[in-house]
């Protein structure tokens, strides 16, 4: 019996030995083949990373040029640039020098409509004098383009050129041309002609710009970046002798023994045509190494808008293939040895297990039974834990959900379904585009894909329009990839921070009001005394003049404008002054009727219909009558101005949405307020009216009055561009009613002992 057992054991050991040899051979073969396959994958991945680096660098170059362009557009809007008056030298100096220093601009020239240079600004300073006519070639190209009315507001970029072809071909520049129109007003030109006045030319130092951006770029250990323009000339290269030279010629001149057909094809067919991509080519050198080698290249375009075409620059990032493959060879060599060792240990362990199988079979059966009981117990506990976790997720007041890379909802909790207004079973499989506007859904999809691409959590604060409500959310996306999934998904946790955002805006407006109040008080007191003296002497002179004379009428005009200035000063003082009057309660409807009786004539002559809807029996509200009347008068005056001679003004009152509140609504059918201005309308001195028609204090003062008594004022508006059939503005004021307590009073009452 023992002999049979030994024979079986010897046979098993022989089989294990043969299997071990086969496994080691297979492991070696798989290691070699997978090494070749992984080299190709790693090369592609490395080149894709280089492409991201090239794309990011190209975007940064474009952004830098756009910043320079934006500064030039702002500079071109100044009266000092448009009119070139000798007296504006100091203003021109203050405005121009920061643009030169900030935007890598070597020189700025102002050329008038006749082709004469009016001033030149560079690192030496600014010269304002007649410099003579520009070259005929420049006048024919630049002046004819700038004088075309269709090019108003545009910027013309030229091709690159050496700054001084005779002395220095390594310093590359390009020109940015902006048409100049006389459309700004100042003391000498109160009524601009709006005619063509020439152009503003800025010479951008491309070499300096690229020296700031390109040298720090490093791909791998020794990879670097270079830039070429649309003519195939190097704008930047680590080897300075290449700069300003043609990329197709300089390589062949340096090493004629090597064929550069691959890189020449890439440059000609891809890079010069403004495409991005990746590839490989053979070079004769890399930094200090002078020998033929294969390189990986990734390239991305930089687009510069010219008058008749787009100039395509190209940013290239290159690195030797040998650096990438050397790491792979080292890793796979160690991996093959490790695999062989692991297989040997596994097989050896298997043999040991076979030797002791008979001896320990009974013990193992007992252990299996014990483990089975443990597994059952652990499974029960796991089910309880999952049920508890599911309960926590469903009861949370945050959005907890998962999305795939196409913005399709895979799972969601009860709170998310409730806010979206659908059943919990209806959300899975639905796209975010069903519940959000396209722009907002696109924004969230970008963040989701960035999280999946980088495999890192992403956090964002976004305003989402859900069921016609604008809600702010703090959203965190966490990438999750399950085994067997080709495309992962993200776990999203969104917390509603709408109340916090609203509080931040209120705190910012309160701070602005406090600062502007101090400023307004100082300014008002400084000019109040001179205005009083002017009006006093005007009254004395009026007493000496006969009514009806030209002198009398002139003095009355002076008096009228002086009183207007005094009114503005009083409004500034009222804006800055802290009222010492005790709080009181007033009747909303009574004050509405009093103000409407005052403005009724104004509404009639402006052909504006008045519609009122006042609820009866409203309780008094926490506010003094004068303050409420001032707020109503400001809102009505703004509505009259917005309707511009025709429309409907609606004033209504009623209970608020919450107990202890009264709501006052003033709406019009005017032109509406653009979305970008909505958040600024309560800022002091902000106004959309023309110069001289408003001070920008009305809404800020109204906001301060309402906030002082614990109320709120909100604005909703639609312009003709939003909805041609229903446009206008609605202001909603919510005030505390008699019997309700402000938060600080309620707290103090609760803390007071009986």
């Amino acid at each position: 019996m023992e002999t049979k057992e030994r024979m079986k054991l010897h046979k098993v050991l022989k089989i294990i030995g043969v299997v071990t040899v086969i496994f080691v051979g297979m492991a070696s073969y798989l290691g070699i083949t997978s090494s070749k396959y992984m080299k190709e994958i790693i090369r592609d991945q490395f080149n894709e990373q280089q492409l991201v680096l090239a794309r990011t660098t190209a975007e940064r170059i474009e952004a830098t040029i756009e910043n320079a362009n934006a500064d030039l557009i702002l500079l071109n809007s100044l009266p000092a640039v448009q009119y070139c008056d000798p007296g504006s030298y100091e203003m021109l100096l203050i405005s121009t020098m920061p643009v030169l220093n900030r935007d890598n601009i070597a020189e700025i020239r102002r050329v008038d409509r006749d082709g004469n240079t009016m001033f030149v600004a560079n690192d030496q300073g600014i010269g304002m004098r007649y410099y003579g006519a520009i070259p005929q070639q420049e006048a024919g190209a630049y002046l004819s383009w700038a004088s075309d009315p269709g090019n108003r507001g545009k910027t013309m970029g030229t091709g690159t050129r050496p700054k001084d072809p005779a002395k220095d071909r390594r310093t590359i520049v390009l020109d940015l041309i902006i048409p100049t129109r006389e459309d700004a007003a100042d003391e000498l030109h109160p009524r601009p002609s709006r005619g063509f006045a020439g152009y503003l030319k800025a010479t951008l130092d491309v070499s300096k710009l690229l020296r700031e951006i390109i040298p720090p770029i490093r791909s791998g250990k020794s990879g670097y970046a270079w830039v070429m323009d649309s003519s195939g000339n190097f704008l930047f290269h680590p080897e300075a002798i290449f700069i300003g030279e043609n990329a197709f010629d300089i390589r062949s001149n340096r090493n004629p023994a090597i064929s550069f057909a691959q890189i020449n094809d890439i440059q000609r067919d891809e890079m010069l045509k403004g495409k991005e991509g990746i590839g490989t080519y053979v070079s004769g050198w890399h930094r200090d190494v002078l020998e033929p080698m294969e390189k990986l290249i990734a390239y991305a375009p930089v687009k510069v808008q010219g008058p008749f075409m787009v100039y395509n620059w190209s940013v290239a990032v290159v690195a030797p293939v040998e650096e990438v493959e050397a790491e792979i060879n080292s890793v796979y060599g160690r991996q093959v040895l490790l695999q062989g060792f692991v297989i040997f240990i596994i097989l050896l362990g298997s043999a040991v297990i076979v030797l002791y199988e008979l001896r320990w079979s009974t013990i193992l059966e007992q252990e299996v039974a014990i483990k089975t009981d443990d597994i059952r117990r652990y499974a029960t506990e796991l089910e309880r834990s999952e049920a508890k976790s599911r309960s926590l997720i469903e009861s949370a007041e945050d959005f907890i959900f998962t999305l795939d890379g196409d913005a399709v909802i895979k799972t969601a909790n009860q709170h998310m379904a409730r806010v979206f207004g659908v059943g919990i079973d209806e959300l899975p499989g639905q796209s975010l585009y069903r519940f959000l506007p396209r722009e907002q859904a696109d924004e969230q999809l970008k963040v989701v894909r960035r999280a999946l691409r980088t495999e890192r959590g992403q956090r964002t604060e976004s305003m989402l329009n859900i069921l016609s409500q604008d809600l702010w959310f703090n959203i965190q996306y966490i990438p999750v990839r399950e085994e067997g999934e080709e495309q992962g998904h993200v776990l999203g946790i969104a917390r509603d921070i709408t109340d916090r955002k609203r509080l931040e805006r209120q705190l910012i407006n309160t701070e602005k009001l406090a600062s502007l109040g101090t400023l307004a008080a100082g300014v008002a007191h400084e000019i109040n005394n001179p205005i009083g003296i002017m009006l006093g002497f005007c009254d004395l002179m009026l007493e000496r003049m006969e009514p009806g004379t030209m002198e009398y009428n002139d003095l009355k005009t002076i008096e009228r404008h002086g009183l207007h200035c005094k009114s503005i000063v009083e409004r500034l003082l009222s804006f800055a002054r802290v009222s010492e009057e005790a709080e009181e309660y007033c009747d909303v409807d009574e004050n509405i009727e009093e103000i409407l009786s005052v403005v009724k004539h104004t509404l009639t002559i402006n052909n504006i219909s008045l519609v009122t809807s006042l609820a009866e029996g409203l309780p008094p509200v926490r506010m003094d009558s004068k303050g409420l009347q001032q707020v109503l008068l400001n809102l009505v005056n703004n509505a009259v101005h917005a309707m511009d001679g025709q429309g409907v003004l609606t004033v209504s009152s009623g209970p608020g949405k919450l107990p202890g509140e009264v709501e006052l609504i003033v709406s019009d059918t005017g032109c509406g307020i653009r979305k970008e201005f909505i958040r600024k309308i309560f800022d002091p001195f902000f106004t959309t009216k023309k110069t001289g028609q408003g001070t920008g204090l009305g809404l800020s003062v109204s906001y301060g009055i309402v906030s002082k008594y614990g109320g709120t004022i909100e604005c909703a508006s639609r312009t003709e561009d939003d909805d041609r059939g229903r446009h206008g503005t609605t202001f909603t004021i919510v005030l505390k009613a008699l019997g309700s307590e402000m938060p600080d009073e309620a707290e103090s009452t609760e803390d007071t002992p009986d």
Side-chain angles (χ1 to χ4, degrees):
M1 191 71 179
E2 292 181 359
T3 304
K4 291 183 178 180
E5 291 294 334
R6 289 179 180 177
M7 291 178 63
K8 287 183 179 179
L9 181 60
H10 290 162
K11 186 181 293 186
V12 169
L13 291 176
K14 288 180 180 180
I15 294 173
I16 292 175
V18 173
V19 171
T20 301
V21 173
I22 294 173
F23 277 12
V24 171
M26 292 177 61
S28 300
Y29 174 76
L30 290 175
I32 295 172
T33 55
S34 61
S35 174
K36 294 180 181 179
Y37 177 69
M38 286 303 298
K39 283 181 181 180
E40 297 178 359
I41 294 177
I42 296 299
R43 285 172 57 165
D44 292 341
Q45 290 180 347
F46 186 84
N47 234 352
E48 289 294 338
Q49 293 176 357
Q50 289 197 139
L51 179 59
V52 173
L53 189 60
R55 188 184 298 132
T56 303
T57 305
E59 291 173 354
R60 184 180 174 189
I61 295 173
E62 288 183 351
T64 305
I65 297 176
E66 286 298 322
N67 289 340
N69 186 37
D71 285 345
L72 290 173
I73 292 174
L74 179 61
L75 185 64
N76 194 43
S77 66
L78 299 177
V81 175
Q82 294 181 5
Y83 300 109
C84 297
D85 295 322
S88 61
Y89 175 81
E90 184 175 347
M91 183 64 182
L92 194 62
L93 180 65
I94 295 174
S95 305
T96 305
M97 297 313 292
V99 175
L100 289 170
N101 298 330
R102 182 170 59 243
D103 297 326
N104 297 308
I105 293 177
E107 181 182 89
I108 296 178
R109 285 180 178 266
R110 170 70 167 85
V111 179
D112 65 8
R113 64 175 62 90
D114 298 322
N116 299 313
T117 301
M118 305 304 295
F119 74 77
V120 177
N122 51 36
D123 56 358
Q124 304 299 319
I126 297 179
M128 293 188 68
R129 59 186 177 83
Y130 177 75
Y131 283 87
I134 61 176
Q136 187 64 34
Q137 182 179 2
E138 180 178 334
Y142 295 172
L143 270 179
S144 60
W145 178 86
S147 61
D148 186 350
N151 294 325
R152 182 170 186 169
K154 297 181 180 179
T155 301
M156 164 185 169
T158 66
T160 57
R161 58 180 175 81
K163 183 177 181 181
D164 188 352
K167 297 180 180 179
D168 182 13
R169 292 178 52 84
R170 310 299 182 206
T171 301
I172 310 298
V173 299
L174 66 79
D175 295 329
L176 298 174
I177 311 299
I178 303 176
T180 303
R181 299 273 175 171
E182 295 179 349
D183 53 11
D186 59 7
E187 294 180 357
L188 298 178
H189 308 85
R191 294 183 178 180
S193 67
R194 306 194 182 279
F196 175 65
Y199 62 83
L200 189 70
K201 182 178 82 169
T203 300
L204 182 65
D205 192 335
V206 176
S207 296
K208 182 180 178 183
L209 183 151
L210 296 180
R211 283 197 300 271
E212 295 177 356
I213 297 176
I214 304 301
I217 296 173
R218 180 65 61 89
S219 175
K221 293 182 179 180
S222 63
Y224 55 78
W226 46 266
V227 184
M228 63 185 295
D229 65 8
S230 57
S231 299
N233 297 323
F234 281 117
L235 299 179
F236 181 87
H237 197 281
E239 300 189 32
I241 60 172
F242 280 27
I243 299 176
E245 302 295 336
N246 185 273
F248 294 93
D249 300 332
I250 188 67
R251 292 191 182 92
S252 299
N253 294 339
R254 179 170 180 176
N255 194 340
I258 295 178
S259 173
F260 294 97
Q262 290 175 301
I263 184 61
N264 289 341
D265 290 342
I266 292 174
Q267 291 176 159
R268 183 184 305 106
D269 300 334
E270 301 286 330
M271 300 174 70
L272 294 183
K273 293 182 179 180
K275 299 179 182 179
E276 72 173 25
I278 58 177
T280 60
Y281 70 98
V282 176
S283 176
W285 59 86
H286 183 78
R287 294 194 181 273
D288 297 332
V289 179
L290 299 177
E291 62 182 30
M293 66 183 71
E294 187 178 12
K295 288 187 179 181
L296 299 174
I297 180 172
Y299 45 90
V302 177
K303 298 186 181 299
V304 180
Q305 182 63 50
F308 308 110
M309 61 178 289
V310 175
Y311 296 101
N312 291 315
W313 300 358
S314 190
V315 177
V317 180
V318 299
V321 173
E322 183 180 348
E323 288 185 4
V324 180
E325 293 185 347
E327 294 294 331
I328 300 174
N329 293 334
S330 175
V331 171
Y332 267 90
R334 292 191 295 269
Q335 182 176 347
V336 169
L337 293 176
L338 180 61
Q339 287 175 343
F341 179 74
V342 169
I343 292 173
F344 176 76
I345 294 298
I346 292 174
L347 295 176
L348 182 61
S350 300
V352 173
I353 292 173
V354 171
L355 290 174
Y356 290 94
E357 181 179 0
L358 296 175
R359 180 179 177 183
W360 297 103
S361 58
T362 304
I363 298 175
L364 289 177
E365 289 177 0
Q366 295 175 354
E367 289 292 333
V368 168
I370 295 172
K371 293 298 182 182
T372 302
D373 293 337
D374 291 339
I375 290 173
R376 290 194 186 99
R377 185 173 64 255
Y378 294 152
T380 303
E381 293 178 357
L382 181 60
E383 289 178 357
R384 293 175 182 174
S385 177
E386 288 180 352
K388 184 177 180 180
S389 300
R390 191 180 305 110
S391 175
L392 291 174
I393 291 174
E394 291 301 327
S395 61
E397 294 189 356
D398 295 338
F399 290 1
I400 301 177
F401 57 96
T402 56
L403 291 174
D404 64 12
D406 297 321
V408 175
I409 301 171
K410 302 184 69 175
T411 61
N413 66 343
Q414 186 68 41
H415 181 66
M416 183 173 178
R418 184 166 54 250
V419 174
F420 280 6
V422 297
I424 186 63
D425 297 331
E426 190 177 346
L427 272 179
Q430 298 295 324
S431 173
L432 279 183
Y433 288 90
R434 172 185 170 184
F435 304 103
L436 300 178
R438 175 166 291 276
E439 297 80 5
Q440 296 177 2
D442 287 341
E443 179 183 354
Q444 298 306 311
L445 184 57
K446 289 180 181 177
V447 181
V448 168
R449 289 179 174 173
R450 184 163 62 248
L452 291 173
R453 184 176 65 252
T454 61
E455 296 186 353
R456 293 183 179 179
Q458 302 291 327
R459 187 181 296 274
T460 180
E461 286 190 2
S462 304
M463 185 187 73
L464 305 180
N465 185 277
I466 303 175
L467 299 180
S468 301
Q469 278 189 309
D470 289 336
L471 303 176
W472 277 92
F473 289 92
N474 184 313
I475 309 174
Q476 182 175 11
Y477 292 108
I478 304 170
V480 179
R481 188 177 296 276
E482 297 180 356
E483 186 176 356
E485 278 191 344
E486 294 183 0
Q487 182 180 6
H489 59 276
V490 296
L491 169 66
I493 303 175
R495 173 157 295 180
D496 190 339
I497 58 171
T498 305
D499 292 338
R500 192 190 80 188
K501 284 290 185 179
R502 186 180 297 114
L503 179 59
E504 288 177 356
R505 290 198 299 270
Q506 291 177 355
L507 290 175
I508 291 172
N509 283 332
T510 301
E511 185 67 23
K512 289 181 179 178
L513 286 172
S515 301
L516 267 298
T518 304
L519 174 63
V523 173
H525 283 297
E526 287 293 330
I527 65 176
N528 203 23
N529 289 336
I531 291 176
I533 294 173
M534 291 166 57
L535 290 174
F537 278 99
C538 186
D539 287 340
L540 291 176
M541 295 180 69
L542 282 170
E543 292 176 358
R544 301 176 184 177
M545 298 294 175
E546 281 192 34
T549 63
M550 182 180 297
E551 291 80 1
Y552 184 86
N553 293 334
D554 292 342
L555 289 173
K556 291 297 287 183
T557 301
I558 295 173
E559 182 185 39
R560 183 170 65 255
H561 286 283
L563 290 173
H564 178 63
C565 292
K566 184 177 180 182
S567 172
I568 294 176
V569 171
E570 290 175 351
R571 292 173 68 182
L572 287 173
L573 286 174
S574 174
F575 171 70
R577 188 181 298 117
V578 178
S579 175
E580 297 179 356
E581 298 179 0
E583 292 184 353
E584 61 180 23
Y585 292 92
C586 66
D587 188 287
V588 173
D589 291 347
E590 181 179 329
N591 284 280
I592 292 175
E593 291 173 353
E594 184 172 344
I595 287 299
L596 293 181
S597 65
V598 173
V599 301
K600 187 174 183 180
H601 177 68
T602 302
L603 299 177
T604 302
I605 63 176
N606 283 279
N607 196 24
I608 294 175
S609 301
L610 174 63
V611 177
T612 59
S613 176
L614 307 181
E616 297 182 357
L618 292 176
V621 297
R622 184 187 294 271
M623 182 174 283
D624 65 284
S625 297
K626 291 183 179 179
L628 181 56
Q629 290 177 11
Q630 183 177 357
V631 173
L632 287 171
L633 187 58
N634 286 339
L635 296 181
V636 171
N637 286 336
N638 286 346
V640 171
H641 181 271
M643 288 185 282
D644 194 20
Q646 184 176 4
V648 178
L649 173 67
T650 303
V651 182
S652 61
S653 64
K657 296 178 181 178
L658 300 177
E661 292 182 347
V662 173
E663 194 172 72
L664 170 59
I665 300 175
V666 179
S667 62
D668 61 61
T669 59
C671 58
I673 304 172
R674 289 160 57 184
K675 290 182 180 179
E676 59 266 30
F677 294 152
I678 285 291
R679 296 182 182 178
K680 301 180 181 179
I681 59 175
F682 295 114
D683 293 352
F685 302 112
F686 176 81
T687 179
T688 59
K689 298 177 182 178
K690 297 180 180 178
T691 303
Q693 294 185 2
T695 62
L697 291 176
L699 287 178
S700 62
V701 170
S702 300
Y703 180 87
I705 293 172
V706 174
S707 300
K708 173 184 175 182
Y709 291 98
T712 62
I713 178 170
E714 296 181 352
C715 175
S717 185
R718 298 180 68 87
T719 63
E720 293 183 357
D721 295 335
D722 298 329
D723 192 339
R724 294 189 176 275
R726 296 164 51 195
H727 53 81
T729 303
T730 299
F731 283 90
T732 303
I733 303 172
V734 179
L735 302 172
K736 300 290 183 180
L738 178 61
S740 65
E741 296 180 343
M742 296 177 68
D744 55 347
E745 293 178 350
E747 291 174 4
S748 63
T749 302
E750 292 173 1
D751 295 338
T752 303
D754 294 338

